Amino acid sequence: MGLFDSASDKKKKELAALRKAVEASPSPAGFVSVVEKYAAAGDLIAAADTARQAMKQFPTAEKVQQAYQNVRRIELQGQIQDLTRAITEGRAGAGEFDRLAVIYSQELGNKTKAYEIAREGLAKYKKAAGLHLLCGEIRADRYAEDHLANDWIEARNHLEKAVELSPATTMARLHLAQLFVMVGLTAEAKPIVDKLAAEAPSETVEALARQIAAAPAAGPVDVETRLAELQKAKAPGSAGGAPGTAGAVDKNVLEAYLGRMEKIDGFKAAAIVAADGQVLLVKSVKPELSAAFGQLVHAIYLACEESSHRMDIGSFVSGEIDTPRGTIEVAEGGHLVLGILAGEPAKTAQLRKATEEFAAISRPA
Amino acid sequence: MKQVLTELNTEVGVKGSILLTEDGLVMAAEISGTLDHETVAANASSTLMATKKALRSVGIEGFSRFICNSRFGKMVFVETGDMYLVVVLDKSINLDYTMMTVSAAARRIKSMG
């Protein structure tokens, strides 16, 4: 007994020391490693606590998100299983769909899955205001992240439906007003905010009212035109900078970056292009490949971007193509698109790291 | 082949799978309820054709694997002899693990000739 206790204590101390070391020099991989070790040791409370801490520091790191979701999934396993069973056996009401979608959205941070569950629920219960509200919130979050017109339109449709079905729900009205303000439709937001200020005053409502009051007076706005303008303004290659330049990114930084890429063993070609297809920078071991490679990168970006939009899975982020001549990595970086072709002995991990670096340097400050 | 797609779709994070010919024609498709069958098929086909055309412009004939990551989902193309297996995936998956399953499905399809 004593022996086991002391082994367990030793393990706990080791993990605590490891956690401290990661906290002193935080990185997504370091946190994920600690979370996994705590989970393997059966200490789910510490695992969840560490995962939460990691999410606070690295909210966009995919591996951190996965580690957090895995730990929470174990904790919530019982509830998830019960609700999923009720849905698959066809005995779930709108409330069960709503609870499961909320678990995925708020507890696990998996908004895609939450949206799917809510949509599945809405296919059965068209008048479920809660499911419309959740779908509206998720599409509004997607719009804030990706600026695609379709997300905004879907968010508005769901939130308006939630308000129609449950007019007293403050949250749906608040989100709808925020959605209008997000794209500068302050005239549409104002009556909603005025009503909220009278019925359910809060700091958020007051802040929104101040934002509307500070906005310059504008004439009638065509929503579709406004959304199209905003979507275009966020597209790679179009947000700042004259044509033929690297936009907001220092061209010297990009040239230095491509210079580093050239040193990868197996490097064959790399190009940085704008969304309109303009080749801004290119390096190639075969000069005759230079112009064609830039066009190839643009063509792949365009095909993926258009398909992603039409399939409603957001904007293109990156692509990896294994070809007989080597691997091509393509990545969107804020305003620009990068493509690298490298063969043996270059490693895929090396190329992925290179595209991550590109994404970091090409995002405007 | 449809059976392979059906089994593949039971994996965590797999939302649908399609078999396309080299010309982009749909040979078989299994798509989950929340995705639109025709939209997925049409876009998988157009992406495949556009990518192959772009590669041809620099003298590269075809590809064995293409992973396309979008902000809220992924699309994977795996060559299976004279066809391509296309799989639509959730954003939040363990890609390395899922790719093992997808590759195994592609090998099974290839062995069916």
Side-chain angles (χ1 to χ4, degrees), chain A residues 292 295-304 307 321-325 328, chain B residues 20-25 43-66 77-86:
Chain A
Q295 284 159 15
L296 161 87
V297 172
H298 182 248
I300 290 171
Y301 158 72
L302 215 56
C304 294
S307 283
I321 311 171
D322 293 333
T323 79
R325 297 259 293 270
I328 299 173
Chain B
L20 293 175
T21 64
E22 297 239 11
D23 303 329
L25 297 173
N43 285 293
S45 176
S46 69
T47 307
L48 173 69
M49 299 315 290
T51 304
K52 288 181 71 178
K53 187 180 168 194
L55 290 171
R56 213 173 294 126
S57 71
V58 293
I60 299 175
E61 277 304 320
F63 60 87
S64 56
R65 195 179 79 158
F66 179 11
F77 298 76
V78 182
E79 181 256 337
T80 66
D82 53 1
M83 285 189 285
Y84 278 90
L85 169 63
V86 187

Side-chain angles (χ1 to χ4, degrees), chain A residues 12-26 30-31 34 38 50 53:
Chain A
K12 272 185 186 171
K13 276 181 188 166
E14 278 172 14
L15 285 172
L18 188 63
R19 183 174 176 176
K20 269 194 175 170
V22 170
E23 283 169 350
S25 176
F31 271 119
V34 177
Y38 271 128
T50 312
Q53 191 182 356

Side-chain angles (χ1 to χ4, degrees), chain A residues 32-80:
Chain A
V32 170
S33 164
V34 177
V35 171
E36 286 171 349
K37 283 189 167 76
Y38 271 128
D43 191 347
L44 286 180
I45 294 171
D49 188 45
T50 312
R52 257 184 225 104
Q53 191 182 356
M55 280 292 285
K56 269 188 196 159
Q57 294 199 36
F58 302 101
T60 58
E62 210 163 309
K63 286 206 184 299
V64 169
Q65 289 173 356
Q66 277 174 10
Y68 177 74
Q69 286 178 23
N70 289 341
V71 173
R72 289 296 288 151
R73 195 174 288 119
I74 296 169
E75 288 184 326
L76 296 163
Q77 207 166 25
Q79 277 187 62
I80 293 173

Side-chain angles (χ1 to χ4, degrees), chain A residues 19-260:
Chain A
R19 183 174 176 176
K20 269 194 175 170
V22 170
E23 283 169 350
S25 176
S27 71
F31 271 119
V32 170
S33 164
V34 177
V35 171
E36 286 171 349
K37 283 189 167 76
Y38 271 128
D43 191 347
L44 286 180
I45 294 171
D49 188 45
T50 312
R52 257 184 225 104
Q53 191 182 356
M55 280 292 285
K56 269 188 196 159
Q57 294 199 36
F58 302 101
T60 58
E62 210 163 309
K63 286 206 184 299
V64 169
Q65 289 173 356
Q66 277 174 10
Y68 177 74
Q69 286 178 23
N70 289 341
V71 173
R72 289 296 288 151
R73 195 174 288 119
I74 296 169
E75 288 184 326
L76 296 163
Q77 207 166 25
Q79 277 187 62
I80 293 173
Q81 277 174 350
D82 289 348
L83 290 165
T84 306
R85 201 174 302 123
I87 288 171
T88 49
E89 289 173 2
R91 54 185 171 79
E96 275 78 18
F97 280 100
D98 194 60
R99 281 208 294 283
L100 187 59
V102 168
I103 285 176
Y104 273 101
S105 173
Q106 292 173 10
E107 301 286 345
L108 302 178
N110 186 343
K111 304 235 175 201
T112 314
K113 181 78 180 168
Y115 184 71
E116 276 175 20
I117 294 163
R119 286 294 304 266
E120 201 185 328
L122 279 175
K124 258 182 121 175
Y125 304 100
K126 291 184 171 52
K127 293 186 174 175
L131 293 174
H132 278 294
L133 172 60
L134 191 64
C135 285
E137 285 172 353
I138 292 171
R139 296 302 291 232
D141 283 349
R142 277 175 61 155
Y143 181 74
E145 188 182 336
D146 209 17
H147 312 287
L148 296 184
N150 190 42
D151 283 328
W152 192 92
I153 291 164
E154 286 290 324
R156 183 190 62 186
N157 291 346
H158 280 297
L159 292 172
E160 282 181 345
K161 196 76 193 164
V163 173
E164 182 195 320
L165 291 165
S166 178
T169 308
T170 309
M171 203 51 88
R173 287 185 288 158
L174 179 63
H175 285 319
L176 191 57
Q178 286 170 327
L179 192 71
F180 284 133
V181 170
M182 212 188 278
V183 295
L185 298 175
T186 47
E188 282 79 354
K190 195 170 183 311
I192 304 172
V193 173
D194 287 347
K195 214 170 168 204
L196 281 172
E199 291 171 9
S202 70
E203 277 183 25
T204 312
V205 173
E206 280 172 26
L208 209 52
R210 282 196 298 275
Q211 213 175 327
I212 292 168
V221 179
D222 177 64
V223 181
E224 284 185 14
T225 309
R226 171 62 59 87
L227 292 174
E229 282 167 2
L230 291 170
Q231 183 171 320
K232 200 176 169 198
K234 299 291 178 185
S238 60
T245 72
V249 187
D250 186 343
K251 205 165 177 176
N252 293 326
V253 172
L254 296 175
E255 270 180 3
Y257 169 81
L258 283 195
R260 289 196 295 282

